Amino acid sequence: TITMVISCVDALAFSPKPLGAVLFDIDGTLVNSDPIHFRVFRELLLKEEGFNDNEPIDDDFFRKNIAGRANAPIMADIFPDWSVASREVWSIQKEARFRVLAGATMLESKMGGLDRFRAWIDGKELRKAAVTNAPRPNAEAMLSGIGFDAWFGELVVIGDECDRPKPDPCPYLTACGLLGVSAENCIVVEDSPSGARAGVAAGAFVIGILSGQDRSTLEDVGCRLVINDFDDPRLWDHLKNLSIIPACP
């Protein structure tokens, strides 16, 4: 059955399509991991002689050039003269360092209100998937660290395992295919411009979460709603006005 709830809401936040699934980014969305990524990049790039005039990168550099992007394009921009093999070795070392630092703090880095939103999704019998540009070992470590690995099960889509990573819509469209739902019947939750662009291009209703970017940055790339975390009243005001398409048994 389809439960219909109709109400007047702000035009910018209104999702006209019934909701069938929620698709989550992981880094900076389920887990407030950007500070850890920033620390790792800052630490390791300082070891590269001459990079950024031997000055540590700042938060602005991280947000503009790193946050939410797949490793391959990040490495190509940062180290344009390196071979692909050298970039891959550096990326592997960087991700290993991230897992070491993140391991001890993962649970406390879980986004506020996430358990409440999870309970709402389960109560509405909605489909869900995690869609990320993070390498699979990182994604699995983060989901396990916050106790969400079993909840998503095998429905974890990795950008580098698709034909094209975010900001291309391919990862989100892949998730929609796995779930058997149209993108227009999905909410995508993202924290980065790259990921938000992917969700918008897929045709989903994109909610931006303020874990690292400015509100205006997320709105400019097409986020229809921007929230502080999953306890934000703006999220819950939006959810109560949605029609629901529950998953088939």
Side-chain angles (χ1 to χ4, degrees):
T1 61
I2 299 176
T3 303
M4 299 295 293
V5 183
I6 302 175
S7 177
C8 293
V9 294
D10 186 274
L12 289 176
F14 183 62
S15 176
K17 303 294 183 180
L19 179 62
V22 182
L23 311 179
F24 295 90
D25 177 47
I26 299 178
D27 269 310
T29 300
L30 298 178
V31 181
N32 192 15
S33 53
D34 275 1
I36 306 173
H37 284 291
F38 175 62
R39 176 181 170 184
V40 171
F41 270 99
R42 185 181 174 100
E43 172 187 305
L44 297 183
L45 287 173
L46 268 177
K47 297 179 180 180
E48 302 299 331
E49 182 65 31
F51 182 82
N52 200 38
D53 295 326
N54 294 318
E55 293 292 326
I57 63 169
D58 58 17
D59 186 62
D60 186 60
F61 181 96
F62 177 81
R63 285 187 284 117
K64 289 181 177 178
N65 298 287
I66 296 172
R69 301 178 69 203
N71 274 331
I74 293 173
M75 293 297 101
D77 288 346
I78 290 178
F79 303 123
D81 298 327
W82 286 18
S83 67
V84 172
S86 295
R87 294 173 191 162
E88 289 177 349
V89 168
W90 200 94
S91 294
I92 290 170
Q93 294 172 341
K94 182 259 297 181
E95 300 299 352
R97 178 62 175 154
F98 168 82
R99 289 191 292 274
V100 168
L101 292 179
T105 61
M106 195 66 67
L107 191 59
E108 62 193 60
S109 298
K110 182 167 65 173
M111 196 63 66
L114 182 56
D115 289 334
R116 177 186 178 190
F117 192 31
R118 170 177 171 167
W120 183 86
I121 290 169
D122 288 343
K124 298 296 184 181
E125 300 181 342
L126 288 166
R127 305 165 182 86
K128 70 273 183 183
V131 183
T132 179
N133 271 348
R136 185 166 289 278
N138 283 23
E140 292 176 347
M142 286 185 281
L143 293 176
S144 175
I146 62 172
F148 272 58
D149 47 339
W151 193 59
F152 285 112
E154 296 182 358
L155 291 168
V156 180
V157 177
I158 305 298
D160 282 341
E161 296 176 6
C162 299
D163 290 339
R164 296 167 301 279
K166 306 173 195 176
D168 192 276
C170 184
Y172 279 116
L173 294 175
T174 298
C176 290
L178 292 171
L179 294 172
V181 64
S182 172
E184 66 181 8
N185 296 118
C186 294
I187 282 177
V188 161
V189 189
E190 274 283 358
D191 72 300
S192 72
S194 173
R197 288 189 184 99
V200 170
F205 183 94
V206 181
I207 297 177
I209 193 163
L210 294 170
S211 61
Q213 300 289 336
D214 297 329
R215 178 179 299 275
S216 61
T217 299
L218 295 176
E219 290 174 343
D220 287 347
V221 295
C223 291
R224 302 281 299 283
L225 181 67
V226 178
I227 60 176
N228 292 316
D229 60 20
F230 294 106
D231 274 328
D232 195 314
R234 286 168 291 195
L235 171 64
W236 295 93
D237 285 345
H238 177 72
L239 295 177
K240 70 184 180 183
N241 292 292
L242 296 179
S243 303
I244 303 298
I245 309 173
C248 295

